[in-house]
């Protein structure tokens, strides 16, 4: 029979209360709460963040109290405030549950109406050790001497500190269970800081008693709070950062400081003095003069950033105030230091790098969109503008955000949103730490449903009708971290845009001087010009100006992370002005986030690409992602080459045909260079793509010239004509700065006079060179036939028979070596293949190259090493001719080809990398040696290509340490922009490869 609704028990059972522990019903009976009189208590228990944990802990508390349980039970039933605090505390923290079980008679503390103020906290902890004001010549209002200083005081202080922390946590958590006021985040932070001040004041009192037993304290000692303690925004579990100042800084002062840290770390929390000058390697205690001397001469930017939060905490407060006053002047001029911007940026990157990849999405403090993002941004703006605006000389993050907003450096709405997101993440951080009183900033794993549910309830997050509490928490986390990431960029750039554009008539705006200061701090070397570019981009009242003003905060943030923001901003302005009449451009930047980010990276890193993009703007569309990945990777070299030939073949006029081929080459260069710079293409694929487009343009030009000649003659061509690629073109290993080394070969057709055919072929070759070498805004197309027989003094074109005769009779060892890279690339394919078959016996001689030829090659190599390096070049860092550079690797591979290709057919190969694969496979060199050669070739090629991309012109010499080297490092694919690390790696790789080269050439 179905029980009627009226028969349902009024007393909720364990299931209705959300209790999952099988023993829950028995526990409720044990507590005497399974009755009508306990309904309010039961429903309150159900609202605890972890009701099962709260219930099981109450059972343990009951056992600890014994007969005294009745008093607590009565209080729970009668006092809503106590009930809310107790249940919330026990359902949130196993650590405080254990404390209450161990000290069950501490529960009446939770009845207290108001939280104790700082003075009461100090008095309460000092009373534990019977402290009295210190007397003598160095007496100070915050310097005391304990009358109880034995080992037992540590346990007594730990208990009293934990009691006070428990009261604060209970009051902070109570609103999750009962309708109690929610304590603002700032109040919690100030209360925790006041408790820390009281704790270390007491620790110092014990230290005075232990170190100065029989005399008044003989030194002045000030304790300076740093970090979150200095800013009065401590967490429940934090290291407390401090610095000591003493007069004199003698052995007694050092012992006092060390003893204070020992007592504090044993009784309360970890006390950390690592922010002192020279860190842990420096003296624990210094005089004020010594501190100032260090900061004036040696301190790095991050140390001044740390001093921003310095606050006299305890001890000799007068000396502490002198320290703060003296260091303040240095703090507020730190932004003028030449290394200010790179130091701040490098420190932020180092902090992010400390977070393991698998934890970055769960890290509240250090990841992207985290607490540290807010703190770094706020501190940077304070340091930039605080030099001229004393209103920003505040220490707390929220307080500073409010000051920045009030003074117009941050938009009011942005400041309010950022504050809300910061406080939300700090709330989650506090709840995570309260659980076990451990220092943690890591969210539960995504699959930890129970952990996420507990955190949501502890943070007073409730279901919203569509999602449970855990689902709401996930949504809120995404919203707040995303907002921090977004506002982190707007924080710097939105006020700049408001200062030059009419975005919001109600918005406070930066003045010109403040805007220049801010741009300088963000890495712009010429902030006045940068401000001019911003004005130009957002000028007028057009829709495009308004869209630019909305886009620029994010674009500028991305640009600020590039090696040359100034050049990037100028290039962006030029691109934007060039596309002013095209609607798609700003729409793509607005709707495709990846496009804007990639475009800024390209423009701020490369002097080679901006002109290409201005002349080939459609490439910018390809910065987007498609269904199969980045669109920049979609075209294949063979498809691109076919498109160039098809388009050029539409024109009979050679000039128009070549212009069309050049235009398509421009698009392809822009695509390949962009993909390369963005790390989407590796070195071999870049080389193949560049070589392929070069070959296609050469073929298109040759076809057009021959078509025009045939039309002009009114008769077929008198000869077959082929172009043989040499050097890197023959090996399909061209770089951005490479010329096209070629040989021109012709073969008279039947019935044609040889001199007529050769004359015609020479005119064709000259026209091809002239058309392709004509001045242009594009990277040049130089066709170089200098490797032909007899060099530049020999005929430009020879017949196949003439080549055969020359190479069989007159070829020098260096010419034979050059033929190893010969490959048919354009013109008549049959003739090209006949040429290759003709030279095969020369370059792959039966029995291998002679010992005399090897000696000659070694002699030439030695001469190249000593004579061909440009004047003033550094042989260690010249990518082409330097030690372990491209020439070293290629000569080594070619010597092995000359000696072994007659027996290893796979060495009939024009590619350096493919030949190295064969050398390794056939064990001509050890695996380790071939890997060293391969790595060096790729490293040098990447560096050489990066030099062109960064500088915009061919270059083989790596620059010295500085901005350009850092840019080359990033473009070459180094994981950071630390040019020194990149250079060290380059030297290490090429040095080891050079050892292999010397071994091979020394055989």
């Amino acid at each position: 029979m179905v029980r009627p609704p009226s028969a349902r028990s009024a007393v909720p059972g364990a299931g209705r209360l959300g209790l999952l522990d099988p023993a829950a019903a028995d526990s409720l009976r044990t507590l005497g709460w399974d009755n009508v009189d306990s309904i309010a208590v039961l429903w309150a228990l159900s609202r605890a963040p972890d009701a099962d944990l709260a219930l099981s802990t109450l059972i343990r508390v009951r056992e600890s109290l014994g007969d005294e349980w009745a008093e607590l039970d009565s209080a729970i039933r009668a006092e809503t405030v106590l009930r809310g605090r107790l249940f919330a505390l026990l359902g949130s923290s196993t650590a405080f549950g254990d404390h209450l079980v161990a000290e069950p008679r501490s529960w009446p503390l939770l009845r207290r109406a108001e939280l104790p103020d700082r003075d009461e906290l100090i008095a309460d902890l000092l009373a534990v050790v019977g402290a009295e004001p210190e007397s003598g010549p160095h007496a100070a209002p915050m310097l005391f001497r304990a009358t109880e200083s034995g080992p037992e005081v540590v346990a007594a202080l730990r208990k009293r500190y934990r009691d006070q922390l428990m009261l604060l946590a209970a009051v902070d958590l109570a609103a999750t269970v009962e309708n109690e006021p929610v304590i603002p985040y700032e109040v919690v932070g100030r209360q925790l800081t006041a408790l820390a001040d009281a704790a270390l004041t007491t620790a110092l009192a014990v230290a005075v008693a232990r170190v100065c037993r029989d005399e008044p304290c003989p030194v002045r000692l000030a304790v300076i709070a740093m970090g979150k303690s200095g800013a009065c925004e401590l967490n429940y579990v934090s290291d407390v950062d401090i610095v000591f100042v003493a007069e004199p800084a003698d052995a007694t002062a050092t012992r006092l400081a060390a003893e204070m840290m020992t007592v504090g770390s044993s009784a309360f929390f970890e006390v950390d003095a690592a922010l002192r000058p020279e860190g842990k390697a420096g003296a624990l205690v210094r005089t004020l003069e010594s501190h100032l001397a260090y900061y004036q001469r040696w301190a790095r930017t991050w140390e001044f950033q740390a001093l921003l939060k310095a606050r006299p905490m305890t001890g000799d407060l007068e000396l502490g105030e002198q320290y703060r006053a003296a260091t303040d002047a240095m703090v507020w001029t730190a932004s003028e230091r030449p290394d200010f911007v790179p130091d701040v940026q490098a420190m932020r990157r180092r902090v992010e790098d400390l977070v393991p990849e698998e934890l970055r999405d769960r890290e509240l403090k250090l990841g992207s969109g985290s607490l540290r993002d807010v703190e770094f941004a706020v501190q940077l703006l304070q340091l930039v503008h605080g030099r001229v605006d004393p209103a920003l000389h505040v220490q707390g993050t929220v307080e500073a955000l409010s000051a920045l907003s009030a003074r117009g450096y941050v938009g009011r709405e942005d400041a309010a949103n950022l504050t809300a997101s910061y406080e939300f993440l700090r709330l989650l951080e506090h709840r995570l730490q309260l659980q076990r009183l451990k220092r943690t900033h890591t969210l539960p794993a995504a699959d930890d449903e129970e952990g996420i549910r507990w955190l949501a309830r502890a943070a007073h997050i409730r279901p919203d009708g569509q999602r449970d509490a855990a689902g709401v928490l996930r949504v809120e986390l995404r919203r707040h971290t995303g907002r921090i990431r977004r506002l982190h960029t707007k924080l710097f750039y939105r006020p700049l845009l408001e200062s030059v554009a009419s975005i919001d008539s109600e918005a406070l705006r930066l003045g010109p001087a403040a805007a220049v200061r801010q741009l300088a701090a963000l890495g712009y070397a010429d902030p006045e010009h940068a401000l001019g570019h911003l004005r130009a981009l957002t000028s007028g009242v057009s829709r495009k100006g308004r869209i630019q003003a909305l886009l620029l905060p994010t674009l500028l943030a991305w640009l600020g992370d590039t090696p040359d923001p100034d050049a990037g901003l100028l290039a962006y302005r030029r691109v934007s002005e060039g596309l002013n009449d095209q609607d798609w451009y700003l729409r793509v930047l607005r709707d495709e986030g990846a496009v804007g980010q990639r475009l800024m990276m390209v423009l701020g890193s490369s002097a080679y690409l901006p002109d290409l993009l201005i002349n080939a703007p459609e490439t910018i569309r390809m910065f987007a992602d498609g269904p199969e990945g980045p669109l920049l990777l979609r075209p294949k070299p063979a498809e691109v080459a076919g498109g160039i030939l098809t388009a050029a073949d539409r024109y009979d006029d050679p000039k128009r045909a070549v212009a069309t081929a050049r235009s398509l080459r421009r698009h392809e260069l822009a695509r390949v260079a962009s993909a390369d710079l963005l790390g989407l293409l590796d070195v071999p694929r870049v080389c193949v793509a560049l070589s392929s487009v070069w070959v296609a343009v050469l073929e298109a030009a040759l076809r057009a010239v021959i078509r025009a000649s045939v039309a002009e003659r009114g008769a077929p061509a008198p000869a077959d004509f082929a172009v043989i690629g040499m050097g890197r073109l023959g090996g399909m290993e061209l770089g951005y700065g490479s010329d096209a080394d070629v040989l021109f070969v012709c073969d008279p057709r039947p019935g044609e006079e040889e001199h007529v055919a050769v004359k015609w072929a020479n005119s064709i070759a000259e026209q091809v060179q002239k058309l392709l070498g004509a001045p242009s805004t594009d990277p040049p197309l130089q066709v170089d036939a200098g490797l032909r027989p007899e060099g530049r003094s020999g005929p430009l074109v020879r017949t196949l028979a003439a080549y055969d005769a020359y190479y069989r009779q007159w070829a020098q060892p260096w010419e034979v070596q050059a033929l190893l890279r010969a490959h048919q690339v354009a013109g008549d394919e049959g003739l090209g293949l006949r040429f290759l078959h003709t030279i095969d016996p020369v370059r792959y001689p039966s029995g291998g190259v002679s010992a005399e030829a090897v000696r000659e090659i070694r002699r030439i190599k030695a001469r190249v090493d000593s004579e061909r390096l440009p004047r003033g070049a550094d042989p260690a860092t010249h990518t082409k001719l330097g030690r372990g550079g491209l020439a070293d690797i290629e000569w080594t591979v070619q010597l092995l080809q000359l000696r072994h290709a007659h027996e290893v057919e796979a060495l009939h190969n024009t590619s350096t990398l493919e030949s190295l694969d064969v050398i390794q496979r056939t064990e001509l060199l050890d695996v380790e040696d071939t890997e060293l050669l391969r790595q060096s070739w790729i490293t040098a090629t990447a560096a050489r290509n990066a030099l062109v991309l960064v500088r915009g012109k061919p270059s083989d010499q790596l620059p010295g340490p500085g901005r350009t080297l850092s840019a080359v490092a990033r473009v070459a694919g180094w994981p950071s922009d630390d040019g020194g690390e990149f250079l060290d790696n380059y030297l290490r790789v090429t040095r080891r490869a050079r050892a292999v080269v010397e071994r091979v050439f020394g055989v």
Side-chain angles (χ1 to χ4, degrees), residues 635-645 664 668 671 692-693 696:
K636 301 297 182 283
E639 297 170 358
V640 172
I644 290 174
L645 291 173
L664 294 174
E668 181 63 0
R671 179 191 74 83
S692 177
V693 72

Side-chain angles (χ1 to χ4, degrees), residues 929-998:
D929 286 348
T930 53
E931 283 302 320
L932 288 174
L933 295 177
R934 181 182 292 106
Q935 185 182 5
S936 190
W937 190 92
I938 289 175
T939 300
T941 302
R944 193 175 189 227
N945 283 344
L947 280 165
V948 179
L949 290 177
V950 170
R951 288 180 160 169
K953 56 186 178 182
S955 178
D956 294 312
Q957 180 67 62
L958 286 176
R963 195 171 193 172
T964 303
L965 180 62
S966 296
V968 170
R970 287 182 65 172
V971 174
W974 192 247
S976 74
D977 59 359
D978 189 327
E981 289 183 1
F982 167 77
L983 190 59
D984 288 345
N985 179 72
Y986 180 91
L987 293 172
R988 181 169 56 253
V989 168
T990 53
R991 183 174 62 249
R992 295 171 69 192
R994 175 68 178 194
V996 178
V997 172
E998 290 176 345

Side-chain angles (χ1 to χ4, degrees), residues 450-754:
E450 185 178 343
I452 294 173
R453 176 180 174 275
W454 165 83
L455 179 59
R457 290 169 63 90
H460 205 190
I461 293 173
R462 295 292 182 258
D464 63 359
Q466 296 180 330
R467 290 172 287 262
D468 62 8
V472 175
L473 173 60
R474 289 188 176 96
V475 170
E476 287 296 291
L477 265 171
R478 285 195 296 272
R479 183 170 73 89
H480 285 288
T481 55
R483 185 157 72 180
I484 288 174
R485 282 194 295 270
R486 186 174 68 253
L487 292 180
H488 180 68
T489 62
K490 281 184 66 178
L491 209 59
F492 299 119
Y493 298 106
R494 180 71 175 189
L496 288 170
L497 271 296
E498 289 172 345
S499 73
V500 298
S502 301
I503 299 172
D504 180 358
S505 60
E506 299 299 319
L508 290 166
R509 297 178 188 169
L510 297 180
V516 166
R517 282 198 309 275
Q518 190 149 317
L519 280 165
L522 292 167
Y524 288 84
D526 192 346
E528 289 87 356
H529 277 122
L531 201 60
H533 298 323
L534 296 182
R535 288 194 181 98
L537 284 164
T538 57
S539 62
V541 294
S542 68
R543 179 173 177 270
K544 289 181 179 177
R546 291 195 301 274
I547 294 175
Q548 286 279 21
L550 293 173
L551 290 173
L552 275 165
T554 302
L555 298 181
L556 288 170
W558 289 326
L559 200 56
D561 197 36
T562 65
D564 194 345
D566 294 83
L569 181 56
L570 172 59
Y572 178 67
R573 176 181 173 182
R574 291 174 58 214
V575 170
S576 295
E577 289 173 348
L579 295 173
N580 189 53
D581 59 345
Q582 301 196 39
D583 293 336
W584 64 266
Y585 171 61
L586 290 178
R587 186 173 65 250
V588 167
L589 291 184
R590 182 193 64 198
D591 298 339
E592 297 278 356
V595 174
Q597 187 170 12
R598 288 167 177 165
L599 180 61
M600 294 306 104
M601 175 57 72
V602 163
L603 296 180
S605 302
S606 172
Y608 179 86
L609 269 162
D611 286 333
L612 284 175
L613 292 176
I614 289 168
N615 293 315
E618 289 293 323
T619 308
I620 296 171
R621 291 183 187 268
M622 302 180 75
F623 284 31
D625 288 320
E628 299 176 357
L631 297 180
L632 286 168
L633 301 182
R634 188 168 64 182
K636 301 297 182 283
E639 297 170 358
V640 172
I644 290 174
L645 291 173
T646 301
D649 284 348
R650 296 192 183 105
Y651 300 98
D652 294 327
D653 180 1
K655 290 184 178 179
R656 295 190 66 186
V658 169
T660 299
R662 273 182 174 275
S663 173
L664 294 174
R665 171 183 181 258
R666 185 187 311 134
H667 282 270
E668 181 63 0
L669 284 180
R671 179 191 74 83
V672 172
S674 297
D676 183 9
L677 190 146
L678 294 168
L680 303 176
L681 284 176
D682 59 20
V683 167
R685 291 169 70 194
V686 169
C687 292
V688 168
L690 293 176
S691 303
S692 177
V693 72
W694 228 124
V695 166
V697 173
L698 186 57
E699 176 73 34
L702 181 60
R703 287 187 187 184
V705 170
I706 291 176
R707 278 199 307 275
S709 173
V710 168
E712 183 181 347
R713 283 166 51 85
D720 295 328
F721 190 97
V723 181
I724 306 300
M726 302 288 284
R728 288 186 175 80
L729 178 62
M732 295 297 280
E733 293 170 345
L734 287 179
Y736 297 106
S738 301
D739 292 339
D741 291 311
V742 301
L743 299 178
F744 294 117
V745 58
C746 71
D747 194 28
R749 290 178 175 173
E752 298 287 352
E753 295 288 338
E754 181 174 313

Side-chain angles (χ1 to χ4, degrees), residues 340-357:
F340 175 74
V341 175
D343 269 5
V344 171
Q345 292 175 337
M347 181 165 61
R348 182 67 186 108
R349 282 193 291 271
R350 280 197 299 273
V351 167
E352 289 179 345
D353 290 343
L354 292 175
V355 184
E357 185 70 35

Side-chain angles (χ1 to χ4, degrees), residues 69 72 154 260 420 432 452 467 689 885:
W69 165 253
L72 176 56
V154 169
M260 189 200 94
L432 288 167
I452 294 173
R467 290 172 287 262

